[in-house]
Structure formats: C-alpha cells, structure tokens
Amino acid sequence: MKKPFEISVQSRITIVLLFFFAVLAVLIGRLFILQVVQNREYTKLAARQHRLIKEILPERGIIYVQEKNANLIPLAMNKVQKNITVSPQNIKDERFVASLLAKEFGVKEKDLLLKLADKSDLYEVLIKNADSEKAKQVEERRLDGLFLEEEKRRVYPHGSIASHLLGFVSKEAEEEEGRYGLERYYEAALSGNKGFFEGAKDNAGFWVALGRRIVRPPKNGSNLVLTIDYNIQSKTEVVLEGVMHKWQAVSGTILVTEPKTGRILAMASRPVFDPNNFSKERNLSVFLNPLVESMYELGSVLKPVTMAGGLEEKLVTPDSTYEDPGSVKFGSYTVRNFDGKSYKTQTMTQVLEKSLNTGAVYVARLLGKERQLEYLKRFGFGEKTAVDLPGEITGDLSNLSGGKDIDFATASFGQGIAVTPMQLAMAIGVIANGGNLMKPHVVERVIDDSGNESKKNPEIKRNVLSKETAEKLTQMLVSAVKSGFENRAGVKGYFVAGKTGTAQVPRRDARGYSDKVIHTFVGYAPAFNPRFLVLLQLNEPKGNRFAANTLTPAFHDVAEFILNYYEIPPDEVN
C-alpha cells in the first residue's frame, strides 16, 4: 500500500504531464490551422511584407514648334533637376550647413536656418533645381543628414515665348497636370498612362533580383508638333513688345494664320507670363488666352463682312455709289462718320478706303436685318471656331435679338456686338482664301509613344462667299491699303489687303461708351494668293486715337519679315 506522500507526488507529476500534453496539443492544433487550414491566407500576408507594387510615372510628351525647313524646336520638355534635401534631426551643425549652402547657391542663410530648426522634421527641401556641379561638390562632402535627390520637372526652355498658347504644368504630389493652353487641352495625349512595378525585397530591405518583374510598363505621353513657326513667333513677340511700349497699351495680341488651311503660324499676347515660374503670378487672368477667351467690340474691321453680304446678294458692286450725309438718325440716336464729316458721293470701295460708318449702314439697310444677321453667323460670329485650345467663347450677338434699327446699324461697323480675335481672323480669312470658312488649328501632328503619327488636315467648315465676291472684296481691301488710311501697312513690291478698326470701349455700367479705344488691324499678303494673314490688336493705347497710326507700321514689319522669310517673289509690277 502506497503512502499518502507517494500518491501526492505521483498525482502532481501526472497533472504536470497532462498540462504539457494539453499545451502541446494546442500548439500542434494551432500549427495545423496556420500551415494547413489558413496556409493560403498567411502566405499572401507574408508575401505582402516582402513584395512591393509601385506606380511608374510616364514621361510627359514634348511640345515642338518648327521652322520652314521642318527643323523641330522644343517649347515644352522634361528635365531632371537636382534638389538638395535634408533630415534636420541628423544635422550636427546647422549654422555651418546654412552658411555653406547660402554661399554656394546665393540663398538667404536665415531662410535655411528656419528649415533646419525643427529637429522633429525628417525631410525638408533646401535648394530646388540646384546647379549640377555645385550640388555634386556639396554631395562629396558627405555631410550627415544632407542628401542630393533627382526630380523630373516640366521646363519651358524659351521662357515666356508663346506662353498663352502653351499654358503650364502644375505638379500635385507626384503627378503633373496641364493647366491652361495646350498643356490642358491635350492633357490626355501628353500625360500618357502610368505603369506598375512589382518586385520582392529580402528581410534587410534589399531587392531580390530573381523574380523581379514589371507588371505593366508605362506608356509615355505623345509628342505634339505645332503649326507654329518659331521664327515668325519670335518676330511677333518682338513687334508686339515694341508697339505695346510705344503706345502704352493695357494689353495686346498678334495672330498670324495661313488663310488657305487654317494653320496658326504665330500667337503672341501681352501681358505675358513665364510658365517656368507661373506660381509667382498673383493675377490669374494673365493665364487666359485673349485670342479665344476674351471678346471685344472691334469696330471697322467688321465693315468688310457687311460689304461681303451686299456684294454676294448683288445689292451693290465695288463701284456702286451712295450719297454720304455724314450722319444718320435712328430715333434719338445718331450715327456719324468717325470725323463727323460728309463726303458726298462715294463708291463702295471708298467706303472701305475712308472707313465710312454711313456707308456700312447704307449696305446693312439694303441687306435688311434678317440677312445681315445671317451673314454675321455665316462668317462664324456667335459660334466657336473649334480651334484646339481650351476655354474658347462664342462672342456675343445678343444685342441684335431685340431687332432695334440702331443696334443693326452699329453692328454694321463693328460696335454693339462682341467677337473674339480668333473669330475675326477666320472671318477675314474667308475673303482671303476665296470664300471658305476654315477651322483653325495649332497642332499639326501627334506622335505617340510607338512613333505612330496622326496628322491634322485642313478642314472647311462651310462655304460663305462665292470666289467672285471674295476676289472683289480683296481688290477693295488692296485699294484700302493703297489709297486709304491703311497705306503705311503696304510692303513695296507686293499687293497687300487690309482694314483697320478703332472701336470705343463700353462703359462698365453698360451705359454708352468711354473715351478708351481698341485698335485693330487685319491684313493679308500677297493679296491675290495669300500665304499669311496677320491680326493685331491694342487695348486702350495712349497718345493716338486711330489704329491707322498705331498698327499699320507694326503690320508692315511683320508682313515684310514673313515675305522675306518665305522668300515669296514680288507680285506687284511697278
């Protein structure tokens, strides 16, 4: 018989053994669950700890302009810049680092010290777009907490040239997005498609070469080749800058098109901005392209449109005459010639030469309100030109909806209705190219990541005038340049067609007009086989009231340059 003490020890041993067996059973059960039952789930979790899926950003497409020999020049491209970054908590001597960088890169030492002061900060950019050689020298010092990193950014190597046309790229976090201009309009084509990278890392955080793979490669953005000619663009920028300065205008634009195709050869506007430093601009309206995003009452440059309706409907001929009374009354309103004079018997050609308001009213009355409005619309006013630029507006013909005689009278010489400069250029282009309204375009070719090209061909929106009417109007506009106020627009040896316009600016309270004016000139050459059309506009110039004095010399300079640049032989026999 066992003693009580022996039974007690044996029982305790049995309990301990049972406990360990129970724990072992639980462990075995748990291992079974983990390795067999939940094997797939935990395998995925383990893989996630060592496998990384990362986005690969595509290369943004380049925007090119060209020269007459088809040589391409980039106006928007991508550049890898070097930034000097810092981990403030790892910097041992803030003053030494700040002094070194301030001396090397010309920045304020106190600004750097502010960024280095917060020791809880893990990352701070001290110098963006640092000079490569200087950045390399700083890196070779191997200062604790100081690093050199690369960042890809959008750059515009020619600064503010064609900035309203291009727009700019804004970078939010890691991704870029086009703002304004072509960068916005062609965002989908330029930006491309992101790719995804999948790879594995070991426990130390290093890439495992075996099995590394790209799930989906990025598709880089398409390149754009513009219709813009770099040399013509550069010339217009210089001319516009000069004429703006001379007449102290608030703003101004120059547009050069190819009437037969609708191709845009140059597009310059002032005030201007630098797309490399767009964030410095405080007035966001400077980013808008006034050629398509603003509308104006442009005055007598619309008289050829009114005259076109009269000629096309065979109500007048270039030699038809009328008696100019000097003024015409419409109830309490009176329409006068710009100088208030009466010129007695005048031909329709002389109406354009002398820019007679009463002559435009005479033709409009012959047309009647319905046909006058119809021709305005046929020429493209009141609708978008469909140019490949963002933000285009339709202009405003609503003043004619009331059917008032005075409103149709003033519309005949370009007051009371608002149009965009692009609409006006394409409307006068109808006369220049033989009667067709063209669709303007600024992108000639789109070249995708694989090298495939899609080219834009000239597109006729509709026929507006007969070729005969267009030729008669061209002859009348040539006469306006030779014998009218536009004579300083002429270029020796060439037939040049053109028309000026001086329009009053409406008051802000919409009650009548102010003393401020808008000057416009539109001309094309060689007149009977035009290679180019130029529109110039000055808003609120000072020191001279008439566009014939401010803009005709500027047109002459641009026209003479293009004629020589294209080596176009003279067409006028002296």
Side-chain angles (χ1 to χ4, degrees):
M1 184 174 180
K2 294 182 180 181
K3 296 179 180 180
F5 174 77
E6 293 176 348
I7 294 174
S8 177
V9 172
Q10 188 174 3
S11 298
R12 290 177 181 177
I13 293 173
T14 301
I15 292 171
V16 170
L17 288 174
L18 288 174
F19 173 77
F20 278 110
F21 280 126
V23 171
L24 183 61
V26 169
L27 290 175
I28 292 172
R30 182 61 177 161
L31 286 173
F32 178 80
I33 291 172
L34 292 175
Q35 295 186 3
V36 179
V37 178
Q38 296 181 335
N39 174 267
R40 187 170 297 179
E41 181 180 347
Y42 281 96
T43 299
K44 288 180 180 179
L45 289 173
R48 287 174 189 170
Q49 293 177 353
H50 297 280
R51 188 160 295 278
L52 177 71
I53 297 178
K54 184 179 180 181
E55 286 185 342
I56 305 176
L57 298 177
E59 185 92 359
R60 193 172 182 86
I62 301 172
I63 301 177
Y64 293 100
V65 291
Q66 51 190 316
E67 297 178 299
K68 67 177 183 179
N69 60 2
N71 181 45
L72 299 182
I73 299 172
L75 285 195
M77 57 190 294
N78 308 302
K79 178 184 177 182
V80 175
Q81 72 175 25
K82 296 186 183 298
N83 299 332
I84 297 178
T85 63
V86 67
S87 175
Q89 63 179 217
N90 295 324
I91 294 294
K92 296 178 180 178
D93 189 339
E94 298 91 346
R95 290 198 173 276
F96 172 75
V97 172
S99 176
L100 172 67
L101 296 181
K103 182 179 179 181
E104 288 292 334
F105 298 100
V107 295
K108 293 181 179 179
E109 184 176 337
K110 63 178 183 179
D111 293 340
L112 297 176
L113 285 170
L114 284 174
K115 292 183 177 182
L116 294 170
D118 186 0
K119 290 300 182 180
S120 64
D121 195 356
L122 297 175
Y123 176 83
E124 194 72 51
V125 178
L126 292 184
I127 310 289
K128 288 183 73 71
N129 196 20
D131 178 85
S132 297
E133 285 300 317
K134 291 181 179 179
K136 186 177 180 181
Q137 291 172 10
V138 170
E139 185 182 32
E140 289 172 351
R141 287 175 173 267
R142 299 185 180 279
L143 298 172
D144 289 340
L146 208 63
F147 308 97
L148 192 65
E149 69 175 22
E150 293 185 343
E151 177 188 19
K152 193 174 292 183
R153 67 187 289 260
R154 192 68 158 175
V155 295
Y156 303 87
H158 299 273
S160 62
I161 286 182
S163 59
H164 292 93
L165 170 66
L166 295 171
F168 55 85
V169 168
S170 174
K171 193 169 185 178
E172 301 292 340
E174 289 296 317
E175 296 188 37
E176 296 177 324
E177 184 177 355
R179 308 280 189 182
Y180 300 94
L182 293 171
E183 294 279 25
R184 173 185 163 192
Y185 191 88
Y186 283 93
E187 168 65 19
L190 287 166
S191 62
N193 297 316
K194 290 183 287 189
F196 295 94
F197 173 82
E198 182 183 15
K201 288 185 177 181
D202 60 21
N203 291 332
F206 294 102
W207 288 106
V208 177
L210 186 63
R212 188 189 303 180
R213 61 196 180 97
I214 293 178
V215 176
R216 189 181 78 188
K219 183 179 180 181
N220 291 331
S222 298
N223 296 332
L224 305 183
V225 178
L226 307 187
T227 57
I228 299 292
D229 183 287
Y230 178 78
N231 297 295
I232 298 176
Q233 180 70 36
S234 298
K235 179 65 177 179
T236 61
E237 300 273 358
V238 172
V239 170
L240 181 59
E241 189 69 33
V243 76
M244 285 277 297
H245 177 74
K246 182 175 182 178
W247 300 109
Q248 299 175 18
V250 171
S251 60
T253 58
I254 297 182
L255 175 66
V256 183
T257 69
E258 199 173 70
K260 293 180 181 179
T261 63
R263 296 171 75 243
I264 296 173
L265 303 177
M267 181 183 288
S269 298
R270 294 291 185 280
V272 74
F273 66 93
D274 183 354
N276 293 301
N277 298 296
F278 67 88
S279 60
K280 294 182 179 180
E281 296 292 341
R282 294 294 173 262
N283 182 7
L284 299 185
S285 65
V286 74
F287 300 137
L288 299 178
N289 187 338
L291 286 161
V292 295
E293 295 182 88
S294 298
M295 58 184 178
Y296 312 85
E297 296 184 26
L298 293 179
S300 295
V301 286
L302 263 77
K303 283 175 182 170
V305 173
T306 302
M307 192 63 70
L311 292 171
E312 184 74 2
E313 297 295 325
K314 302 190 185 308
L315 300 171
V316 295
T317 69
D319 298 321
S320 296
T321 61
Y322 86 112
E323 290 299 316
D324 172 29
S327 63
V328 183
K329 289 190 71 66
F330 294 89
S332 60
Y333 299 98
T334 302
V335 171
R336 295 182 174 85
N337 290 327
F338 74 95
D339 56 3
K341 294 181 181 179
S342 168
Y343 288 83
K344 308 304 179 184
T345 303
Q346 295 291 301
T347 67
M348 294 300 105
T349 298
Q350 289 173 317
V351 167
L352 295 184
E353 288 176 357
K354 299 175 182 177
S355 200
L356 301 177
N357 292 342
T358 58
V361 172
Y362 171 79
V363 176
R365 281 177 155 177
L366 293 177
L367 273 171
K369 297 175 186 176
E370 188 175 327
R371 282 191 294 189
Q372 184 185 352
L373 180 57
E374 177 191 342
Y375 272 97
L376 285 170
K377 291 181 176 180
R378 281 169 63 174
F379 270 92
F381 300 117
E383 69 178 27
K384 295 180 181 180
T385 66
V387 65
D388 47 344
L389 288 169
E392 184 180 19
I393 59 177
T394 61
D396 187 4
L397 301 180
S398 63
N399 195 43
L400 302 180
S401 61
K404 294 180 181 179
D405 292 344
I406 183 60
D407 293 335
F408 279 85
T410 58
S412 71
F413 53 86
Q415 293 271 190
I417 58 173
V419 306
T420 68
M422 183 67 71
Q423 287 175 330
L424 177 62
M426 300 317 295
I428 302 301
V430 168
I431 302 168
N433 71 25
N436 293 321
L437 179 64
M438 303 301 296
K439 178 181 177 181
H441 62 281
V442 74
V443 172
E444 183 176 274
R445 285 176 285 152
V446 179
I447 307 172
D448 70 16
D449 190 29
S450 301
N452 301 311
E453 288 191 13
S454 59
K455 187 173 182 178
K456 289 193 175 183
N457 295 315
E459 183 179 335
I460 298 173
K461 292 183 73 174
R462 58 180 167 270
N463 178 260
V464 179
L465 301 174
S466 66
K467 188 174 182 180
E468 180 186 8
T469 297
E471 288 176 351
K472 288 178 181 178
L473 266 170
T474 291
Q475 290 170 352
M476 296 168 77
L477 293 173
V478 167
S479 183
V481 171
K482 281 181 169 293
S483 307
F485 301 118
E486 294 84 357
N487 58 0
R488 281 181 290 182
V491 180
K492 187 176 180 180
Y494 297 88
F495 288 109
V496 175
K499 184 72 187 78
T500 56
T502 301
Q504 292 176 283
V505 177
R507 295 185 187 276
R508 292 186 181 277
D509 59 9
R511 294 180 180 179
Y513 291 88
S514 68
D515 293 331
K516 298 174 182 178
V517 292
I518 297 174
H519 289 179
T520 312
F521 181 85
V522 184
Y524 52 93
F528 300 104
N529 185 24
R531 290 285 301 277
F532 61 88
L533 177 148
V534 181
L535 177 147
L536 304 96
Q537 179 188 345
L538 284 182
N539 294 310
E540 301 179 26
K542 299 173 181 63
N544 203 299
R545 187 160 180 80
F546 300 109
N549 299 322
T550 61
L551 291 180
T552 50
F555 172 84
H556 169 90
D557 290 348
V558 174
E560 187 174 55
F561 172 83
I562 299 175
L563 289 165
N564 291 331
Y565 176 65
Y566 282 151
E567 300 178 355
I568 300 171
D571 64 338
E572 183 180 16
V573 179
N574 294 323

